[in-house]
Amino acid sequence: MRKRMLAAVAAATTASGLLLAPGVAQAAPSTPPPNPVVTTKAADAEGGPFTQAELRQRSRQRAQEHEQFLDTRADGELEATVAADTKAEAKRQAKAEPGEKADSKTLAAALSTLPASPLAGDVDGCLGSDAAKADLGRVYNRFVYCRSEAELPMDFIVEYDGAPFYLGRATLTYDVVGYGDKGARTTRIFVRVTGEHFVVDPAAQLNPGLESAINRVDDSTADIGVGCYLGQVVDITCTPSELGDTSRTLRQWKDAEDDWLMFDLRSNKPSASDPSVGPELVWRHEWRVTAGGWPGDFYQQMSPTFSPSRTIRCDSATYIKGQGDACVFDDVIPRLVYSTKSKRHAGIAAHIKQALDDPDSTYPRKPNELKKIPGKYTGDDSDKGLHRLKPGDPQLKANTDHKNAACYDRGPVRDKYIGLGLPVELRPRTTGTGAEKEDCDEYPFRAVKEGAASQVWDFSVKAVNASQNRSAGASLGAYFNSDRILRGDLDEFWVNITDEPFENEPDPNDSNLDAGPDKSGQENQPIFLNGRAESGDDEDVYWTYAIVDADEGTTCTFENRNDPQTFFQCTDDGTFTVTLNIDNGIEEELQSDSATITFVNLPPVITLIEPPEWSLYRVGTPVDFKVNFTDSPNDTHQCTIVWDDASVPLMFPAQDHVCGRPHAFAQAGMYTISGTVVDDDGGESSFSRMIVVYDPKAGSANVDGGATVPNESYQNPVSGPSGGTNKFHGTAEYYAPADTRPKGRASTSLEGTGLQFESVGDTQVDWLVVTPDNKVAMRGKGVLKDGTTRAFLLYGWDAARDRSRVVLWDPDITANPPTGTQPTAMLDTARESSSYDIDRSGSNDLTSGSVQIHRP
């Protein structure tokens, strides 16, 4: 694809270097050149570059000149909304499991609202409307723009016999549908060419020498583009990209049908240190559809032509609910529409209408001077709009103070309105329900700079139905998000009152507040609260909780107490009431809704047992045994430890989620230390750990003989599981003074399988246990006949019928004899045994040989 020209050109230059005035027709010379040079003129020449302030003013003037209004209904079904609250939905999905959080990539993907092609509803509803045919096109809502049956003219001028000659005009007819992104500083523009026609100038048609140039016009290649310009200067703060093939001959464009071209305009984020952009990092850009191209190999490049300029505004405001960075179409007068026939807030609409049309009939009275209340747009440039206040602005409280003084005759500024505010009989009825309960409504809204405390503008107060007032306030907050109304002087909006009912308006809902359903869960685990609070921009939303039934010391937290959809958890089990509030600072108008949350107890969770399994101790050496666990912070715990010897089990309270005590064993053996941790609500977890205790003075041992073992004993790599006659030999003894490791040997085989194992030398036995009740256990390493290392365990029981157990495993896979899901031992003659503790282990009766213990 040839690279499209980006710079606007005010005039075309011929191959000979002549500057051709756009659209100037010249008399035909007598003889045309064999290869005339063709170019086009540049269109819509403007000044520039423009400053951001100038761009804003141009946008406002453009909207006024074309009477471009954006009326957004305040009925809960905001027509300007293109997509749902995708950020909240992404958060809910990303937190389907307790404790999960949506990462930035998840949110960015969820926030993207740019379609891959124009949506059918926008093509029909916007592009199909008469307003889309106007020169400005139609701002359908702040995130959707359309223009139909637009034209891009290209004037062809030929250098003929040394002088320019006007051939005629080629015109591309096209449609545009544009989308502002709610998740990025990007605008997507779709363009489709619906036709092309070339009108030959009569003078050129009468000149036979120009016939060749005229016939070749339709073979010229035109490149459609979209870019940002500051008048005639390229706007380098806006990066364009074309997402498809945009170059075709005029003949091909003429035959194009429903072929949408896609272009993205990315607003580069300005530096936060730039004082002109504010914390929202606002930049405006003017964009145009362009056409330029190449007439053919024997023609020089054509200069581009431009559509009229249109404005987008991109910002990085962080307070627009359900959106991230975004771009909107700015050539519009935004108006919030209330209807006096609305099911939801007819009373509020009637009050605003009275305040705008007959301000002197409203309260508070203003003696000796006419009241002036802003917000009504009549088309006059002097009509003053409203401006959204920033959160925490002192004027929010001041607006409330003035409202309370004028409406209720109270508060710090009440003296200002004595005898001027609402008479007692007209004040709100703050008790009762339904139509009986009233709020004090104020206009202009508390959330705007022009509110009751304004030193420039007047205001009105009136008693209205409480449910309608709160619904209207919620609609105002939703409107700010829907039309992306920025705070402070960055944005301006108006209010339009209609006496026509809203079509398809939802039925009134007495409550714009819902704490969600009652829920249950587990202590110290988050529960998702799926609340709803349709609040005004000047109202605070927050959760509170109360303990109904729980142990003393229990505390609870909200992940975000100001988010209706958040997580709630408590440090103990019990029953709790959570309450979602909408608070406008007036006690009588506080709104609340509650739900019951029940947390059930969870048992402690064991996290660590020390010492490790198979730890080796010399007899009489203290074993520092401890169990670490987690549980709800408010639970207390009781520990029980059973030492597996003759000692009495210990019972004691846990300290800092640890059950721990030292213990010394007086005799050699294999001990499975066990016990429980029980919380104060009855939740119990058990633990066990086997250790080995040796006594070098307990005696020596000799285990020598054979036994018939089960078929699954040997995992034969050649023929599968095998059993049969297992031969074994083991001898070991501790020698003073270095009596921490015995000397001994061990070997085993399985007849008919080729399995042969033997320890090398007399130093491969790691330990020997000889118990007072005539049991023997030894452990060490050796090799198979192929030289592969294996670890072994050899058990013997010196009893009425001597018994044995032999285990071989790969120490490179598991350091200790395998259990549970670990790879199975290659040989275990008591594989079905659930324990390696010699006091609990399975065994095989000897068919030959014996187990002999030699005491000192």
Side-chain angles (χ1 to χ4, degrees), residues 72-85:
T72 304
R73 289 168 32 172
D75 65 347
E77 293 292 310
L78 299 171
E79 292 180 332
T81 301
V82 179
D85 186 344

Side-chain angles (χ1 to χ4, degrees), residues 41-303:
K41 75 167 188 175
D44 195 21
E46 295 187 63
F50 302 113
T51 65
Q52 285 294 311
E54 289 171 333
L55 289 175
R56 182 178 184 181
Q57 183 61 26
R58 283 165 59 84
S59 175
R60 172 74 179 275
Q61 290 175 345
R62 199 175 288 134
Q64 288 178 323
E65 291 170 5
H66 294 269
E67 297 184 343
Q68 179 73 251
F69 302 115
L70 175 58
D71 287 340
T72 304
R73 289 168 32 172
D75 65 347
E77 293 292 310
L78 299 171
E79 292 180 332
T81 301
V82 179
D85 186 344
T86 51
K87 186 173 183 179
E89 181 62 25
K91 182 177 180 181
R92 285 193 291 271
Q93 292 176 358
K95 290 193 172 183
E97 296 298 327
E100 288 189 8
K101 295 187 183 235
D103 58 30
S104 57
K105 291 183 180 179
T106 302
L107 290 179
L111 286 173
S112 179
T113 58
L114 297 180
S117 61
L119 302 178
D122 299 327
V123 173
D124 296 337
C126 183
L127 198 61
S129 66
D130 290 339
K133 299 176 183 178
D135 289 342
L136 183 65
R138 181 183 181 188
V139 178
Y140 194 42
N141 56 60
R142 272 198 155 179
F143 290 95
V144 180
Y145 166 85
C146 64
R147 171 77 167 93
S148 65
E149 301 180 12
E151 293 185 343
L152 278 175
M154 295 180 288
D155 288 350
F156 282 72
I157 300 171
V158 64
E159 183 185 337
Y160 183 74
D161 197 21
F165 198 98
Y166 178 57
L167 288 182
R169 171 171 290 182
T171 302
L172 291 176
T173 306
Y174 66 95
D175 295 337
V176 175
V177 177
Y179 292 92
D181 200 336
K182 288 188 175 184
R185 298 173 65 102
T186 303
T187 305
R188 179 162 291 175
I189 306 296
F190 293 96
V191 180
R192 70 176 176 189
V193 175
T194 58
E196 183 275 334
H197 61 279
F198 180 69
V199 177
V200 182
D201 184 77
Q205 195 168 16
L206 295 175
N207 192 325
L210 298 175
E211 182 178 358
S212 174
I214 293 171
N215 291 338
R216 297 186 183 188
V217 166
D218 274 354
D219 293 324
S220 302
T221 299
D223 186 19
I224 304 299
V226 175
C228 296
Y229 300 88
L230 298 172
Q232 298 182 44
V233 180
V234 175
D235 182 355
I236 62 173
T237 67
C238 172
T239 305
S241 60
E242 53 191 44
L243 308 174
D245 186 4
T246 60
S247 295
R248 302 177 191 178
T249 65
L250 294 180
R251 193 186 311 279
Q252 290 170 328
W253 284 126
K254 185 185 300 185
D255 298 332
E257 293 183 3
D258 286 335
D259 185 5
W260 288 100
L261 307 176
M262 185 163 65
F263 305 87
D264 278 355
L265 301 174
R266 187 177 71 254
S267 172
N268 303 330
K269 188 175 291 188
S271 171
S273 62
D274 183 349
S276 67
V277 300
E280 287 86 353
L281 306 183
V282 175
W283 261 351
R284 283 178 171 83
H285 311 278
E286 290 190 344
W287 62 277
R288 296 173 167 186
V289 179
T290 66
W294 298 261
D297 294 338
F298 58 98
Y299 292 137
Q300 77 171 43
Q301 179 176 317
M302 294 187 296
S303 59

